Structure formats: C-alpha cells, structure tokens
Amino acid sequence: MTVKMFSRVLLLINVYLPVDLQSSHAIHAEYEQALGEIEGFLGSSTYDDVLICGDFNTDMRRTNVQTETLYHFAERNDLIIGWDSACARPDMTYVNT
C-alpha cells in the first residue's frame, strides 16, 4: 500500500513471518522466502520512504541465525530497525517467557 503525503510517497508493508527456531544455523525456508519477496517488492516499487511493520517473530535480543538474517536484510535495503532506536519501547512488546 502506498500513501501520498504532500509530495512524498510512503510505502507501507505489513508482515507476519514464521516463528523463530532459536537456532544458530537453521531458519525456516518460508522466513527467507518472505524476506526475499519483500526485497523484490522494494526493488520494483516507487516510493520515497518505506515502513515495514508487523510481527517478524524474531527476538532482537537473541544472537541467532533468524535475528542475523533480519539485520542483514535491513542493512542490504538501507532500513533502520526500530528496536535499535533510542525511542524504542521494548517494554511495550509482548515477550513469551
């Protein structure tokens, strides 16, 4: 979905990705496939800014392959992960313990 605000076009993408396997070497093929589809969509769309939100099913506090994959995806696409922002509110995120 794109939203035109003033002279800028905002691309909105909502995601619901597969659960984190919490593995140091294995990742759901569907997770990588979904990120690949988003990356393809980013490359074929015209926009000024993009907001990708939803449930990435990734605990950014972990050091595992799924978290690393998401960080690499963001880096390749010049995206900023909100979790790392100074204004992020991790206490507002549900964490299953």
Side-chain angles (χ1 to χ4, degrees):
M1 166 194 247
T2 59
V3 178
K4 187 165 186 171
M5 296 170 28
F6 307 104
S7 63
R8 299 189 66 80
V9 176
L10 173 64
L11 174 63
L12 299 172
I13 301 174
N14 185 44
V15 300
Y16 182 68
L17 298 180
V19 68
D20 188 347
L21 296 175
Q22 300 182 31
S23 172
S24 62
H25 62 279
I27 190 169
H28 275 291
E30 293 89 359
Y31 196 91
E32 289 183 309
Q33 179 182 354
L35 291 180
E37 289 176 15
I38 294 168
E39 201 159 10
F41 191 71
L42 292 173
S44 66
S45 300
T46 302
Y47 56 89
D48 297 302
D49 300 297
V50 62
L51 176 62
I52 305 173
C53 53
D55 191 347
F56 286 89
N57 268 317
T58 301
D59 186 338
M60 302 309 285
R61 299 171 299 176
R62 292 190 182 127
T63 305
N64 63 25
V65 70
Q66 188 152 315
T67 304
E68 290 174 13
T69 299
L70 184 55
Y71 271 114
H72 290 300
F73 165 80
E75 186 177 289
R76 278 193 314 274
N77 293 284
D78 294 321
L79 301 172
I80 298 168
I81 294 181
W83 183 270
D84 297 330
S85 170
C87 64
R89 295 279 315 269
D91 58 318
M92 300 294 288
T93 299
Y94 173 75
V95 178
N96 185 11
T97 56

